[in-house]
Amino acid sequence: MTQHKSGFVSRCLKGMIIALGFILPGVSGGVLAAILGLYERLLSFMAHPTKRWREDFPFFLPVGIGGLLGIALLSAPLAYLLTHAQVVVLWGFAGAIIGTLPALTATATAQSPRDGIDWLWFLGTLLIGGFGLYFMSDLLGTLPANFIGFLVAGGLIALGVLVPGLSPSNLLLILGLFGPMLTGFKRFDLLGVYLPIAIGALITLAVFAKGVEFLLQHYHSRVHHFILGLVVASTVLILVPNPSAAESISYAHVTLTTWLASLVACIAGAALGWWMSRLEAKYK
């Protein structure tokens, strides 16, 4: 009985850690799940939920509970930091992403050497994805922070779990949904924020889990070069002011002290990202 309780608490704690990938730009829930030894079983469960329902649902239930607790506990301090030290925090996030790039690059060529098609996937995603994301607000307008907008947020969060290395918060920042999402989390807005995000995540998992599993098995290099292009593009956009984006970084009134603090945060973030990548490689 004690061992059962210990396992429940342990998986709750793991869920709280994975929740960092939902709300921290530069951090991937899929990477954290891999570090904690849950990714392969989680992907298999999401791709084939009916096969091992009796074994996997009780196993992942405390992980889900821990994820909700982690979101509730971490959203308020993160929202405060983004309000009062936006430039420093975002440079720290960018550093964390930069620190993971060597590992992401190594993963992309782990099963086959890089070829010309891989380069096309990377460069095409970098350029087309980067320009598309930058001008998305001009073309489509900022996504509204309503039920539909949070359905999209839930879908992106689910993709961050399905695809290790993909940080959904980067994209939510660009789409103008990150701040409203954090506000809803810290206010425990169950119907307006938690519910649509949960629905969007479940729909995305149901639709894409098998496809992601298939693509990673059969087109491993192509998928990861696509991810690399998206990661690099979204990282650059975090640091580039965009007048059309609701949550774009602003360098107005930035002092020398802020720049120095941002540089330190970027270096520290890069070290943290590199360390996390080493952990993933060790425990994968």
Side-chain angles (χ1 to χ4, degrees):
M1 184 71 172
T2 302
Q3 185 177 2
H4 175 73
K5 289 182 178 178
S6 174
F8 187 95
V9 172
S10 173
R11 291 196 296 277
C12 275
L13 291 174
K14 289 182 177 181
M16 292 179 70
I17 294 172
I18 292 172
L20 292 171
F22 302 161
I23 61 175
L24 290 181
V27 181
S28 164
V31 166
L32 293 174
I35 291 171
L36 297 171
L38 297 176
Y39 176 72
E40 291 185 2
R41 182 170 180 176
L42 180 61
L43 180 60
S44 178
F45 174 49
M46 291 185 296
H48 312 283
T50 58
K51 287 187 177 181
R52 289 173 50 87
W53 178 263
R54 291 186 178 180
E55 295 86 359
D56 284 341
F57 180 76
F59 180 86
F60 285 113
L61 180 60
V63 178
I65 293 173
L68 291 174
L69 289 174
I71 288 171
L73 292 173
L74 296 171
S75 295
L78 181 57
Y80 178 87
L81 288 173
L82 283 171
T83 300
H84 295 87
Q86 184 202 45
V87 174
V88 176
V89 172
L90 291 182
W91 274 87
F93 289 157
I97 306 169
I98 293 169
T100 65
L101 290 179
L104 289 176
T105 303
T107 300
T109 56
Q111 295 187 6
S112 60
R114 182 178 293 111
D115 59 20
I117 303 299
D118 289 331
W119 278 111
L120 286 176
W121 271 109
F122 170 72
L123 294 173
T125 306
L126 176 63
L127 296 174
I128 298 173
F131 279 106
L133 289 171
Y134 184 82
F135 292 107
M136 181 174 292
S137 298
D138 295 314
L139 297 173
L140 303 176
T142 302
L143 283 180
N146 56 19
F147 198 91
I148 300 299
F150 289 125
L151 281 176
V152 174
L156 291 174
I157 288 172
L159 287 177
V161 176
L162 287 173
V163 185
L166 180 63
S167 174
S169 297
N170 296 17
L171 303 177
L172 294 176
L173 274 168
I174 295 166
L175 295 173
L177 289 172
F178 188 69
M181 180 183 74
L182 286 185
T183 300
F185 282 157
K186 71 179 184 179
R187 291 178 178 173
F188 298 99
D189 187 351
L190 297 178
L191 296 179
V193 177
Y194 280 90
L195 179 61
I197 285 178
I199 293 173
L202 290 173
I203 291 174
T204 301
L205 293 176
V207 172
F208 291 107
K210 287 185 179 180
V212 170
E213 184 183 50
F214 176 85
L215 290 173
L216 287 173
Q217 289 175 352
H218 296 86
Y219 302 98
H220 180 273
S221 181
R222 310 290 191 239
V223 171
H224 280 281
H225 280 87
F226 174 86
I227 294 170
L228 266 174
L230 192 60
V231 168
V232 173
S234 60
T235 303
V236 171
L237 292 180
I238 286 177
L239 303 178
V240 175
N242 184 346
S244 301
E247 297 183 274
S248 173
I249 193 169
S250 172
Y251 294 107
H253 311 299
V254 170
T255 64
L256 178 60
T257 301
T258 303
W259 279 116
L260 291 174
S262 300
L263 178 62
V264 171
C266 186
I267 294 172
L272 177 62
W274 180 83
W275 177 70
M276 288 176 58
S277 297
R278 297 281 292 178
L279 277 180
E280 180 191 5
K282 182 178 180 181
Y283 292 108
K284 213 165 190 179

